Coordinates of all heavy atoms in Angstrom, one line a residue:
V25 N 131.4 92.1 122.2 CA 130.8 93.4 122.1 C 129.3 93.1 122.0 O 128.8 92.8 120.9 CB 131.3 94.3 120.9 CG1 130.6 95.6 121.0 CG2 132.8 94.4 121.0
P26 N 128.5 93.3 123.0 CA 127.0 92.9 123.0 C 126.3 93.9 122.1 O 126.6 95.1 122.0 CB 126.6 93.0 124.4 CG 127.6 94.0 125.1 CD 128.9 93.7 124.4
G27 N 125.2 93.4 121.5 CA 124.3 94.3 120.8 C 124.6 94.7 119.4 O 123.8 95.4 118.7
V28 N 125.8 94.3 118.9 CA 126.2 94.7 117.6 C 125.8 93.6 116.6 O 126.6 92.8 116.2 CB 127.7 95.0 117.5 CG1 128.1 95.5 116.1 CG2 128.1 96.1 118.5
E29 N 124.6 93.6 116.2 CA 124.0 92.8 115.2 C 123.5 93.7 114.1 O 122.5 94.4 114.3 CB 122.9 91.9 115.7 CG 122.3 90.9 114.7 CD 121.2 90.1 115.3 OE1 121.2 89.7 116.4 OE2 120.2 89.9 114.5
V30 N 124.1 93.7 113.0 CA 123.7 94.7 111.9 C 123.6 94.0 110.6 O 124.5 93.4 110.1 CB 124.8 95.8 111.8 CG1 124.4 96.8 110.8 CG2 125.1 96.4 113.1
Y31 N 122.4 94.1 110.0 CA 122.1 93.6 108.7 C 121.8 94.8 107.8 O 121.0 95.6 108.2 CB 121.0 92.6 108.7 CG 121.3 91.2 109.3 CD1 121.1 91.0 110.6 CD2 121.8 90.2 108.5 CE1 121.3 89.8 111.2 CE2 122.1 89.0 109.1 CZ 121.8 88.8 110.4 OH 122.1 87.5 110.9
A32 N 122.3 94.8 106.6 CA 121.8 95.7 105.6 C 120.6 95.0 104.9 O 120.8 94.2 104.1 CB 122.9 96.1 104.6
W33 N 119.4 95.4 105.3 CA 118.3 94.7 104.8 C 117.6 95.6 103.8 O 117.8 96.8 103.7 CB 117.3 94.3 105.9 CG 116.9 95.5 106.8 CD1 117.4 95.8 108.0 CD2 115.8 96.4 106.6 NE1 116.8 96.9 108.6 CE2 115.7 97.3 107.7 CE3 114.8 96.6 105.6 CZ2 114.8 98.3 107.8 CZ3 113.9 97.6 105.7 CH2 113.9 98.4 106.8
Q34 N 116.8 94.9 103.0 CA 116.1 95.6 101.9 C 114.6 95.2 101.9 O 114.2 94.2 102.4 CB 116.7 95.2 100.5 CG 118.2 95.5 100.4 CD 118.8 94.7 99.3 OE1 118.4 93.7 98.9 NE2 119.9 95.3 98.8
G35 N 113.8 96.0 101.2 CA 112.4 95.7 101.0 C 111.8 96.6 99.9 O 112.4 97.5 99.5
F36 N 110.6 96.2 99.5 CA 110.0 97.0 98.4 C 108.6 97.5 98.8 O 107.9 96.8 99.5 CB 110.1 96.4 97.0 CG 109.1 95.3 96.7 CD1 108.2 95.6 95.6 CD2 109.2 94.1 97.3 CE1 107.4 94.5 95.2 CE2 108.3 93.1 96.9 CZ 107.4 93.3 95.9
V37 N 108.2 98.6 98.3 CA 107.0 99.3 98.7 C 106.4 99.9 97.5 O 107.0 100.1 96.4 CB 107.3 100.4 99.8 CG1 107.9 99.8 101.0 CG2 108.2 101.5 99.2
A38 N 105.1 100.3 97.7 CA 104.4 101.1 96.7 C 104.0 102.4 97.4 O 104.1 102.6 98.6 CB 103.1 100.4 96.2
P39 N 103.5 103.4 96.6 CA 103.0 104.6 97.3 C 101.8 104.3 98.2 O 101.0 103.4 97.9 CB 102.6 105.5 96.1 CG 103.3 105.0 94.9 CD 103.5 103.5 95.1
A40 N 101.7 105.1 99.2 CA 100.5 104.9 100.1 C 99.3 105.1 99.4 O 99.2 105.9 98.5 CB 100.6 105.9 101.3
G41 N 98.3 104.3 99.7 CA 97.0 104.4 99.0 C 96.8 103.4 97.9 O 95.8 103.3 97.3
T42 N 97.9 102.7 97.5 CA 97.8 101.6 96.5 C 96.8 100.6 96.9 O 96.8 100.1 98.1 CB 99.2 101.0 96.3 OG1 100.1 102.0 95.9 CG2 99.1 99.9 95.2
P43 N 95.9 100.1 96.1 CA 94.8 99.2 96.4 C 95.4 97.9 97.0 O 96.4 97.4 96.6 CB 94.1 98.9 95.1 CG 94.3 100.1 94.3 CD 95.7 100.6 94.7
R44 N 94.7 97.4 98.0 CA 95.2 96.2 98.8 C 95.3 95.0 97.8 O 96.2 94.2 98.0 CB 94.2 95.8 99.9 CG 94.2 96.9 101.0 CD 93.1 96.6 102.0 NE 93.2 95.2 102.6 CZ 93.9 95.0 103.7 NH1 94.5 96.0 104.4 NH2 94.0 93.8 104.2
E45 N 94.4 94.9 96.8 CA 94.5 93.8 95.8 C 95.8 93.9 95.1 O 96.4 92.8 94.7 CB 93.3 93.8 94.9 CG 92.0 93.9 95.5 CD 91.6 95.3 95.9 OE1 91.9 96.3 95.1 OE2 91.0 95.5 96.9
V46 N 96.2 95.1 94.7 CA 97.5 95.2 94.0 C 98.7 94.9 94.9 O 99.6 94.2 94.4 CB 97.6 96.7 93.4 CG1 99.0 96.9 92.8 CG2 96.5 96.9 92.4
I47 N 98.7 95.3 96.1 CA 99.7 95.0 97.0 C 99.8 93.5 97.2 O 100.9 92.9 97.2 CB 99.5 95.6 98.4 CG1 99.5 97.2 98.3 CG2 100.5 95.1 99.4 CD1 100.9 97.7 97.9
A48 N 98.7 92.8 97.3 CA 98.6 91.4 97.5 C 99.2 90.6 96.3 O 99.9 89.6 96.4 CB 97.2 90.9 97.8
K49 N 98.9 91.1 95.1 CA 99.3 90.5 93.9 C 100.9 90.7 93.7 O 101.6 89.7 93.3 CB 98.6 91.1 92.7 CG 98.8 90.3 91.4 CD 97.8 90.7 90.4 CE 97.8 89.7 89.2 NZ 96.8 90.0 88.1
L50 N 101.4 91.8 94.1 CA 102.8 92.1 94.0 C 103.5 91.2 95.1 O 104.6 90.6 94.8 CB 103.1 93.5 94.3 CG 102.8 94.5 93.1 CD1 102.7 95.9 93.6 CD2 103.8 94.3 92.0
N51 N 103.0 91.1 96.3 CA 103.6 90.3 97.3 C 103.7 88.8 96.9 O 104.7 88.1 97.0 CB 102.8 90.4 98.6 CG 103.3 89.6 99.7 OD1 103.0 88.4 99.8 ND2 104.1 90.2 100.6
S52 N 102.6 88.3 96.3 CA 102.5 86.9 95.8 C 103.5 86.7 94.7 O 104.2 85.7 94.6 CB 101.1 86.6 95.4 OG 101.1 85.3 94.8
A53 N 103.6 87.6 93.7 CA 104.5 87.5 92.6 C 106.0 87.5 93.1 O 106.8 86.7 92.6 CB 104.3 88.6 91.6
F54 N 106.3 88.3 94.1 CA 107.6 88.3 94.6 C 108.0 87.0 95.3 O 109.1 86.5 95.1 CB 107.8 89.5 95.6 CG 109.1 89.5 96.3 CD1 110.3 89.9 95.6 CD2 109.2 89.1 97.6 CE1 111.5 89.9 96.2 CE2 110.4 89.1 98.2 CZ 111.6 89.5 97.6
A55 N 107.0 86.5 96.1 CA 107.3 85.3 96.8 C 107.5 84.1 95.8 O 108.4 83.2 96.1 CB 106.1 84.9 97.7
T56 N 106.8 84.1 94.7 CA 107.0 83.1 93.7 C 108.3 83.2 93.0 O 109.0 82.2 92.8 CB 105.8 83.2 92.7 OG1 104.6 83.0 93.3 CG2 106.0 82.1 91.6
A57 N 108.7 84.4 92.7 CA 110.0 84.7 92.1 C 111.2 84.2 92.9 O 112.2 83.7 92.4 CB 110.1 86.1 91.7
M58 N 111.0 84.4 94.2 CA 112.1 84.0 95.1 C 112.3 82.5 95.2 O 113.3 82.1 95.8 CB 111.8 84.6 96.5 CG 111.9 86.1 96.6 SD 113.6 86.7 96.4 CE 114.2 86.6 98.0

């Protein structure tokens, strides 16, 4: 059955307008935790 590749994926976000520095710090902290 072609084309049936399904992953239940996840991700995390902040509200739009969150400062880029804060986004970068959260991204880095998550990468370290993983």
Side-chain angles (χ1 to χ4, degrees):
V25 187
V28 183
E29 180 183 325
V30 185
Y31 288 91
W33 54 265
Q34 302 161 333
F36 79 116
V37 301
T42 300
R44 291 173 61 90
E45 306 85 37
V46 172
I47 297 294
K49 194 164 188 178
L50 286 164
N51 180 277
S52 176
F54 174 75
T56 300
M58 291 291 275

